[in-house]
Amino acid sequence: MKVLNYPLTKITIWFILGILVSYYCKPTISLIIPLLAVTSIAFLISYFLVRKNKKQSLFFGLCTYFLSCSIGLATLLFHTESLHKSHYTHNQKVFETAQTITFTLREKLKSNMYSDRYIALINTINDKKYSGKIIVNIQKDSTPNPLIIGNIIKVKTALQHNSSNKNPNQFDYGKYLADKQIYAQLNLNKSEISVSQNIKKDIWYYSGRLHSRILRNLESAHFNKDEMNVALALILGQQQEISSDIIQDYQYSGATHILSVSGLHVGFIMLFINFILKPIPNTRKGSFIKLLSILISLAIFAIISGLSPSVLRSVVMFSFLAIGNHLRRSGNIYHTLLVSMLLILLFEPYFLFDVGFQLSYIALFFILWLQPLLQRMYSPKHKILTYLWNALTVSFAAQIGAAPLCLYYFHQFPGLFFVTNIIIIPVLSFIMIAGIIVMLIAIFCSPPILLVEIFEKSIYILNQMIHFVASFESFVIRDISFNSYYTITFYLLIISATIWFKKPDFTKLTFLLTSVILVQISFIYTKKETENQHELIIYNSKKSTLISERTGKNIILFSSDTLSQKTTKANAFNSYLVGNFSKLKSIHKVTNTLFFNGNRIFIIDSSGIYKNKIQPDILLLTQSPKINMERLLQNMHPKIVIADASNSNSVVKNWKATCLKKNIPFHATNEKGFYKLN
């Protein structure tokens, strides 16, 4: 694998290793600065030594890699906003009592049924300067929303910490926001906010204004709303208003990637710009004009699309490609890929933990590395067959590369992804060209009705094609259990198989067989780890009481609901089922008493009926029973009291105060999440 021999590859790997060590080990600045100084001095010494004596190249290489790792450590640390003294997380009062907060709206997020959502930047708290990003949720009402990006808003309220996942193996929204350096939220009514007449006019403001102008001109051209929302996603990467049904169709058909602006879209734009600039001669001056035009066009596109991470990384990569072409240095595409990655991570190291960033680069790498190998397996004679074969090989290469990560994060696999990619590429090519023209016109005025109708109809056809493929739900494999062991070993298997297939020899065969053994070991270890576990989970479920007992891979589910399929498909339980490689053995109605590992669990439901003589180890309260908590504790003497999410918040608050007075531990799942007993 020649790409691993490039010095830039090794430097990038060590730099990423430094970011990972900094992320998981959380070293202090007082440790990182001396380390950075030592590795820098060692690098300079080794550099001068290697100039005098080439035999010192090994020492120089090691010093270079350690310096790269140190820079990775420092980069993440210096870009962690919560470590800055001015960050709002250092003001604990703002989380406890109402404070006067001013913030600037930075980015509009996808709205939900109840609120318009934004990312905002904190300016001041009680007239003292603070910094940091928050989520702002502004409740919807009958009046239109007048807010724009750049608005400076003043409120008197308290910040709320992001909630973490309340059930096992569920998506951790709090961690997701923390990786974007967002640590708090605000929930506001329109009546609570005071909007300043001053507007912060930065690049984000102008990007928002440009996007609003395009949207307004498209609406004035009577663009159908559903098709317009898809058009904004395809061309500008704005997914905020797409309906959940359309998003589901794209997920089931394996075409979600086309709704997020990526290398595919930026590549189309670059080809279109090159086509327009074709009349310019390829002289030194002409080549420079082309390069400047491409770079400016890509920068404008990034601004219009809202400067999202997926757009930025694609624009950076294609900008490097354009510069390489201008310098007549076709070079190596892997270098372009690595330089763009390194540059992005130097300025935004937290992008490394973005799923879109990971999938984008891994898919692109496998297209460059694996697709030529797949393409050589068959040489069609007709142009149509050549197109179909090329589309298939690109699709398979990207899917093979992205599959382990997709299974790890999403636990599902679209079986008809190759069909989707074959049928959408021709339509998507036309849509991208027509879309760019329509959007450019919409910047200045309302586009011609005929052009809008053609563009709208092409998106309608695309949506219908996607819906047709997505309708074959039996080809969508869901709830696939897949852990980190599988992810690492499957990537080793894919890489070793590709290396061996390109040029077989004994060493490569040994590597391939070793990776096969490692995959088997990951299966055996996971099975052994699963079979040795015995635990009981009380879930945080508002609609019903859910309790599961797992012995090995077999789960017995206890529910207060009617014993229907709805109970087994409840998100709280299903995530646990998939995440632990388990299967549902049986479902039972919740009774008043359960036993687990010598612990007696007594459950009091809405009836409030209980016997005084029972002395449980664990007391579980559900469905807001009308009880005298003080008397109940005196009679039962439980070791711990648990209240699940089926209880009202006011009742739980009173119970918590009583338990605190009696020095009895209290666990509310709505506050602390699920309760595990093992």
Side-chain angles (χ1 to χ4, degrees):
M1 196 176 178
K2 290 181 181 179
V3 68
L4 290 177
N5 295 325
Y6 303 146
L8 186 61
T9 303
K10 295 171 184 176
I11 289 168
T12 305
I13 289 170
W14 279 86
F15 177 76
I16 289 171
L17 181 65
I19 292 175
L20 292 171
V21 170
S22 185
Y23 181 80
Y24 290 106
C25 298
K26 302 187 185 335
T28 59
I29 293 175
S30 58
L31 178 67
I32 293 299
I33 291 176
L35 179 65
L36 191 60
V38 169
T39 52
S40 298
I41 293 166
F43 170 77
L44 290 172
I45 293 169
S46 66
Y47 174 72
F48 287 112
L49 286 174
V50 82
R51 286 185 69 182
K52 293 179 180 179
N53 184 2
K54 296 294 182 183
K55 291 180 180 180
Q56 298 291 331
S57 59
L58 178 62
F59 178 60
F60 174 70
L62 288 173
C63 290
T64 303
Y65 302 144
F66 281 121
L67 176 62
S68 181
C69 184
S70 301
I71 293 170
L73 283 160
T75 300
L76 187 85
L77 210 61
F78 294 147
H79 281 84
T80 303
E81 295 175 7
S82 60
L83 297 178
H84 300 168
K85 290 182 179 180
S86 63
H87 199 265
Y88 64 82
T89 51
H90 297 291
N91 185 339
Q92 287 303 313
K93 287 184 179 179
V94 77
F95 291 96
E96 296 164 0
T97 57
Q99 309 286 325
T100 303
I101 304 170
T102 63
F103 56 84
T104 304
L105 297 183
R106 162 60 65 85
E107 180 184 348
K108 193 174 189 312
L109 301 175
K110 187 175 177 64
S111 302
N112 56 34
M113 290 176 64
Y114 311 103
S115 304
D116 290 314
R117 304 173 66 243
Y118 300 86
I119 292 177
L121 301 179
I122 293 282
N123 298 326
T124 64
I125 299 173
N126 287 342
D127 297 324
K128 187 178 178 182
K129 283 190 176 182
Y130 279 91
S131 62
K133 291 184 284 189
I134 59 170
I135 296 285
V136 178
N137 304 295
I138 299 176
Q139 191 173 351
K140 289 180 178 178
D141 57 24
S142 56
T143 60
N145 183 3
L147 298 176
I148 61 170
I149 302 304
N151 274 145
I152 299 171
I153 295 173
K154 186 177 182 180
V155 294
K156 187 165 185 180
T157 185
L159 292 177
Q160 299 171 9
H161 287 289
N162 296 324
S163 58
S164 57
N165 56 328
K166 297 292 178 65
N167 286 302
N169 304 105
Q170 273 190 335
F171 173 66
D172 194 338
Y173 186 59
K175 183 179 179 298
Y176 167 79
L177 290 178
D179 286 342
K180 294 182 178 296
Q181 306 206 65
I182 301 170
Y183 305 97
Q185 299 195 31
L186 281 178
N187 295 303
L188 305 168
N189 296 316
K190 287 180 184 175
S191 58
E192 295 179 87
I193 66 178
S194 173
V195 183
S196 171
Q197 291 183 346
N198 296 323
I199 295 175
K200 187 175 182 181
K201 295 184 178 180
D202 54 11
I203 192 170
W204 304 94
Y205 165 78
Y206 290 109
S207 174
R209 289 289 81 202
L210 203 55
H211 176 254
S212 298
R213 185 181 177 84
I214 291 170
L215 186 62
R216 191 165 56 250
N217 286 332
L218 290 177
E219 286 174 344
S220 66
H222 307 292
F223 207 122
N224 183 279
K225 192 170 183 180
D226 283 342
E227 278 72 40
M228 183 176 70
N229 290 336
V230 173
L232 291 171
L234 290 171
I235 311 301
L236 304 180
Q238 303 290 330
Q239 300 183 38
Q240 291 92 331
E241 304 302 328
I242 300 181
S243 70
S244 55
D245 290 337
I246 291 176
I247 288 177
Q248 182 176 285
D249 282 345
Y250 277 78
Q251 287 173 342
Y252 285 0
S253 63
T256 316
H257 59 283
I258 71 171
L259 291 178
S260 300
V261 172
S262 59
L264 176 69
H265 303 72
V266 178
F268 270 123
I269 290 166
M270 192 166 165
L271 287 172
F272 182 65
I273 295 165
N274 278 324
F275 176 76
I276 293 171
L277 300 174
K278 205 170 184 181
I280 299 174
N282 285 323
T283 60
R284 188 174 180 180
K285 189 177 179 181
S287 180
F288 180 74
I289 292 169
K290 284 183 179 181
L291 173 65
L292 201 61
S293 301
I294 288 168
L295 295 179
I296 291 170
S297 300
L298 292 180
I300 290 170
F301 172 72
I303 292 167
I304 295 171
S305 61
L307 301 166
S308 67
S310 61
V311 175
L312 284 173
R313 59 177 173 257
S314 300
V315 165
V316 168
M317 182 183 168
F318 278 93
S319 297
F320 271 97
L321 190 63
I323 293 167
N325 288 336
H326 169 70
L327 297 173
R328 300 289 192 273
R329 295 176 185 172
S330 57
N332 193 302
I333 191 66
Y334 296 114
H335 276 118
T336 306
L337 196 67
L338 289 167
V339 168
S340 67
M341 181 190 291
L342 197 58
L343 189 67
I344 288 169
L345 292 178
L346 271 168
F347 287 97
E348 286 290 349
Y350 276 94
F351 277 4
L352 183 63
F353 308 100
D354 181 82
V355 178
F357 180 89
Q358 295 170 17
L359 289 173
S360 177
Y361 270 99
I362 201 78
L364 192 53
F365 171 78
F366 272 89
I367 288 171
L368 296 173
W369 186 50
L370 185 58
Q371 193 267 343
L373 180 66
L374 297 175
Q375 193 179 30
R376 287 197 296 268
M377 293 171 67
Y378 173 61
S379 299
K381 295 179 180 179
H382 301 288
K383 284 186 178 181
I384 296 174
L385 287 175
T386 302
Y387 157 74
L388 290 173
W389 182 242
N390 287 341
L392 266 175
T393 53
V394 169
S395 180
F396 270 105
Q399 204 67 46
I400 288 168
L405 270 183
C406 287
L407 292 174
Y408 177 70
Y409 285 118
F410 309 116
H411 302 287
Q412 68 176 32
F413 186 80
L416 294 177
F417 69 90
F418 57 94
V419 176
T420 305
N421 283 281
I422 287 173
I423 64 174
I424 67 170
I425 294 297
V427 182
L428 188 62
S429 303
F430 176 79
I431 287 172
M432 289 300 298
I433 294 167
I436 292 166
I437 295 168
V438 169
M439 297 297 170
L440 285 173
I441 295 170
I443 292 174
F444 305 101
C445 61
S446 181
I449 300 297
L450 179 62
L451 189 58
V452 168
E453 285 181 354
I454 293 170
F455 186 39
E456 183 185 306
K457 185 60 69 175
S458 62
I459 292 173
Y460 174 78
I461 292 168
L462 176 67
N463 285 345
Q464 290 303 307
M465 291 162 71
I466 294 291
H467 179 71
F468 174 74
V469 176
S471 64
F472 296 94
E473 289 193 32
S474 56
F475 286 92
V476 182
I477 308 166
R478 300 186 190 88
D479 300 334
I480 303 169
S481 297
F482 209 84
N483 60 18
S484 56
Y485 309 135
Y486 288 7
T487 307
I488 295 166
T489 54
F490 267 90
Y491 269 120
L492 283 174
L493 178 61
I494 292 167
I495 291 167
S496 62
T498 306
I499 292 170
W500 177 81
F501 197 73
K502 279 191 170 186
K503 196 174 181 181
D505 61 33
F506 180 75
T507 305
K508 292 171 184 175
L509 181 61
T510 305
F511 180 35
L512 174 59
L513 294 176
T514 303
S515 62
V516 171
I517 292 167
L518 288 172
V519 169
Q520 293 297 321
I521 290 171
S522 71
F523 281 128
I524 293 166
Y525 182 77
T526 300
K527 187 178 180 182
K528 186 178 178 182
E529 192 178 48
T530 303
E531 287 178 349
N532 289 336
Q533 289 178 344
H534 185 206
E535 61 187 21
L536 181 135
I537 303 287
I538 298 171
Y539 296 87
N540 181 62
S541 176
K542 292 184 178 181
K543 294 181 179 179
S544 61
T545 298
L546 277 180
I547 304 169
S548 70
E549 182 182 345
R550 178 161 73 94
T551 305
K553 66 176 182 179
N554 295 314
I555 293 181
I556 299 172
L557 180 65
F558 301 92
S559 173
S560 62
D561 249 353
T562 52
L563 307 180
S564 64
Q565 284 298 107
K566 267 190 174 181
T567 304
T568 62
K569 288 296 178 184
N571 188 43
F573 173 68
N574 198 51
S575 298
Y576 178 72
L577 199 69
V578 174
N580 289 280
F581 297 80
S582 304
K583 64 178 182 180
L584 183 63
K585 187 178 179 182
S586 59
I587 312 172
H588 301 281
K589 191 84 172 175
V590 172
T591 56
N592 290 112
T593 308
L594 293 173
F595 292 91
F596 180 82
N597 278 1
N599 293 295
R600 175 183 282 185
I601 305 165
F602 189 74
I603 302 164
I604 301 178
D605 56 22
S606 57
S607 65
I609 299 170
Y610 64 91
K611 294 179 181 178
N612 291 337
K613 293 181 181 179
I614 292 175
Q615 300 287 312
D617 298 288
I618 299 169
L619 176 62
L620 174 60
L621 304 172
T622 70
Q623 301 167 27
S624 302
K626 294 180 180 179
I627 53 172
N628 185 316
M629 191 63 171
E630 198 163 335
R631 189 188 307 151
L632 179 66
L633 296 177
Q634 286 176 352
N635 292 332
M636 291 195 169
H637 303 290
K639 294 177 182 176
I640 185 171
V641 176
I642 302 169
D644 70 9
S646 64
N647 300 289
S648 68
N649 291 332
S650 57
V651 171
V652 170
K653 192 176 179 180
N654 292 332
W655 291 342
K656 184 179 179 180
T658 306
C659 287
L660 191 64
K661 194 192 302 180
K662 296 285 185 181
N663 290 321
I664 295 175
F666 183 81
H667 184 104
T669 63
N670 204 30
E671 179 187 345
K672 298 180 179 179
F674 67 96
Y675 183 81
K676 181 165 77 171
L677 193 64
N678 51 20

